[in-house]
Amino acid sequence: MRLELSAEDQAFRKEMREFFTTQVPEEIRTAVLDGRELSKEQVVESQRALNAGGLAVPGWPVEWGGRDWSQLQRHLWHEEMQAAGVPLPLPFNTSMIGPVIAHFGSQEVKERFLPPTANLDIWWSQGFSEPDAGSDLAGLRTTAVRDGDDWVVNGQKTWTTLGQHGDWIFTLVRTDPEAKKQLGISMLLIDMTSPGVEVRPIQLIDGGHEVNEVWFTDVRVPGENLVGEVNQGWTMAKFLLGNERVGVAPVGSVKRMLVRAKQVGGDRLADPLLRARIADLENELLALELTTLRVVAHSAGGAPHPASSVLKLRGTELQQAASELLLDLAGPQSLASGADPDAGGTDAPGWARRAAPTYLNLRKASIYGGSNEIQRQIIARTILGL
Ligand SMILES: Cc1cc2nc3c(=O)[nH]c(=O)nc-3n(C[C@H](O)[C@H](O)[C@H](O)COP(=O)(O)OP(=O)(O)OC[C@H]3O[C@@H](n4cnc5c(N)ncnc54)[C@H](O)[C@@H]3O)c2cc1C
């Protein structure tokens, strides 16, 4: 395997860096680099800037804004975006429902939804998980019953990320309760302003409001909002979940955390134990980066490589370990997360005040997108053949 970039790929990297550092507002990028939360408007503004430059949905079919890049180019695009502090395009839109609609939707559904999905004119939410259907997703119970031209939906979804901003939600619903569980599921697109849709916040341990429950009570959904055929939802769910694990290794953001650790370490960097801990993480990260490049080099035809489970597993473990390192470096100052520096409440620097909420928030990374235990099973079965 050749690890050095060709002159062409180096030029491509430069082009990406140039775009990201000049076309996406600096205020937004600084907020990302500082680990601050973005407003909905900032996320939308950033994605629209990317879309205007043809860089929001490079993985889509060309006729809908895709770029027909090599896997390596897509990887470089992703890396440079993270390095520059550009918020990644909203995954619900760009790597989840967009590719599903482009692959399975009717021409009418494609024309109606793909352009506003790329430009973030529609903010999508993912309505898959239910209280008893997470890892065992096929056990979902939300029902959709045909009534004339409409579907009538009843049930509850949970862990709906950023559902408070959602305009539309793509859902898996049970349309045939008699069939084997995987065979009775369909995919419906639901306007979240429809009567009977209720979004309820879930409070998290970092103090933030990132996830929600979404309840459906007799929600009427027009028949044409079905994606693909009735009872074909499981096929689309597998396609979508496979895409969800591509580009999952947060190499760029872990690198940023390690750079931060070295910047704030000060005199403590003389401690051989701390130095060893940082060096160990850097080595692991380098190994992950090389594995990412190997996976990228062997992905063909848009199908996710089974090794993407390794990237999810190691990526989230390293992300959590780096956040723990910053928490340890912040020490007691990390407990000042609630203090208001403008009110003279603390002189602890921003990174230290954010260390505890970030550490707590990143506990989620080993659960969502398929828990790490499930990834281990995929690795055991499909890679190791156990
Ligand atoms: C922050 C966050 C955001 C999320 N956002 C969304 C979203 O926007 N939309 C959405 O639809 N879903 C979302 N999810 C849901 C997520 O996909 C599920 O939480 C995940 O699939 C795990 O399901 P579960 O929580 O029901 O846990 P369970 O499936 O109940 O698992 C509980 C524990 O048992 C383990 N386990 C389960 N089955 C097995 C097995 N067969 N072998 C070994 N171990 C097993 C799991 O790994 C886990 O540790 C989000 C979750 C989180 C935490």
Side-chain angles (χ1 to χ4, degrees), residues 92 126-136 158-161 204 210-211 364 367-374 377:
F92 310 111
Q126 181 187 21
F128 280 15
S129 305
E130 298 186 9
D132 292 318
S135 303
D136 177 27
T158 193
W159 306 123
T160 313
T161 299
L204 292 185
E210 190 179 285
V211 284
K364 70 186 178 188
I367 303 172
Y368 66 42
S371 74
N372 281 7
E373 288 81 9
I374 298 294
Q377 290 193 354

Side-chain angles (χ1 to χ4, degrees), residues 134-152:
S135 303
D136 177 27
L137 185 57
L140 61 91
R141 289 197 299 245
T142 296
T143 55
V145 176
R146 197 82 202 195
D147 183 26
D149 287 343
D150 293 344
W151 294 95
V152 178

Side-chain angles (χ1 to χ4, degrees), residues 56-363:
V57 289
W60 289 13
V62 173
E63 62 172 315
W64 298 108
R67 298 297 297 268
D68 213 8
W69 284 340
S70 67
Q71 293 290 332
L72 180 60
Q73 286 172 317
R74 275 173 69 178
H75 171 76
L76 294 173
W77 162 81
H78 192 250
E79 283 290 288
E80 287 300 323
M81 232 177 346
Q82 289 185 74
V86 174
L88 298 181
L90 194 68
F92 310 111
N93 285 41
T94 59
S95 52
M96 295 190 195
I97 193 61
V100 168
I101 291 178
H103 196 85
F104 296 96
S106 64
Q107 186 62 17
E108 202 187 335
V109 167
K110 288 180 196 175
E111 283 170 14
R112 181 173 167 205
F113 287 109
L114 288 177
T117 297
N119 203 42
L120 203 37
D121 299 332
I122 295 177
W123 184 299
W124 286 97
S125 294
Q126 181 187 21
F128 280 15
S129 305
E130 298 186 9
D132 292 318
S135 303
D136 177 27
L137 185 57
L140 61 91
R141 289 197 299 245
T142 296
T143 55
V145 176
R146 197 82 202 195
D147 183 26
D149 287 343
D150 293 344
W151 294 95
V152 178
V153 177
N154 278 285
Q156 180 202 350
K157 296 291 173 181
T158 193
W159 306 123
T160 313
T161 299
L162 302 178
Q164 68 270 37
H165 300 326
D167 300 308
W168 282 72
I169 183 166
F170 52 93
T171 59
L172 292 176
V173 290
R174 187 155 302 284
T175 34
D176 184 353
E178 307 301 326
K180 184 178 162 238
K181 60 183 184 177
Q182 280 85 354
L183 301 179
I185 294 172
S186 302
M187 185 179 282
L188 270 188
L189 308 178
I190 303 180
D191 181 341
M192 291 179 80
T193 59
S194 312
V197 177
E198 193 194 339
V199 179
R200 300 183 193 167
I202 299 175
Q203 187 70 38
L204 292 185
I205 48 172
D206 67 349
H209 168 198
E210 190 179 285
V211 284
N212 304 268
E213 295 174 345
V214 182
W215 294 73
F216 301 92
T217 311
D218 292 330
V219 178
R220 295 197 80 85
V221 181
E224 71 257 22
N225 290 11
L226 182 83
V227 187
E229 305 293 325
V230 179
N231 296 331
Q232 208 196 25
W234 193 246
T235 308
M236 287 177 265
K238 279 193 297 186
F239 178 92
L240 184 148
L241 295 173
N243 285 335
E244 198 185 19
R245 280 194 284 275
V246 174
V248 287
V251 173
S253 57
V254 179
K255 264 189 199 165
R256 283 207 313 258
M257 286 161 119
L258 293 179
V259 167
R260 165 88 67 191
K262 287 200 237 176
Q263 281 167 349
V264 299
D267 294 348
R268 286 169 295 178
L269 290 174
D271 175 356
L273 285 179
L274 179 62
R275 293 163 77 91
R277 186 169 167 193
I278 294 176
D280 194 33
L281 279 173
E282 282 183 333
N283 282 335
E284 294 286 340
L285 189 63
L286 183 60
L288 177 66
E289 190 168 15
L290 295 179
T291 309
T292 305
L293 288 169
R294 275 169 49 202
V295 171
V296 161
H298 291 102
S299 294
H305 192 283
S308 57
S309 288
V310 177
L311 305 183
K312 158 81 191 2
L313 180 63
R314 283 309 281 149
T316 54
E317 284 174 346
L318 290 178
Q319 204 176 17
Q320 290 176 339
S323 73
E324 193 170 348
L325 172 67
L326 284 169
L327 183 77
D328 289 345
L329 286 170
Q333 286 193 321
S334 69
L335 298 176
S337 62
D340 179 0
D342 295 334
T346 178
D347 57 3
W351 73 269
R353 280 184 288 115
R354 281 186 294 276
T358 305
Y359 167 82
L360 291 171
N361 183 280
L362 281 173
R363 301 300 95 195

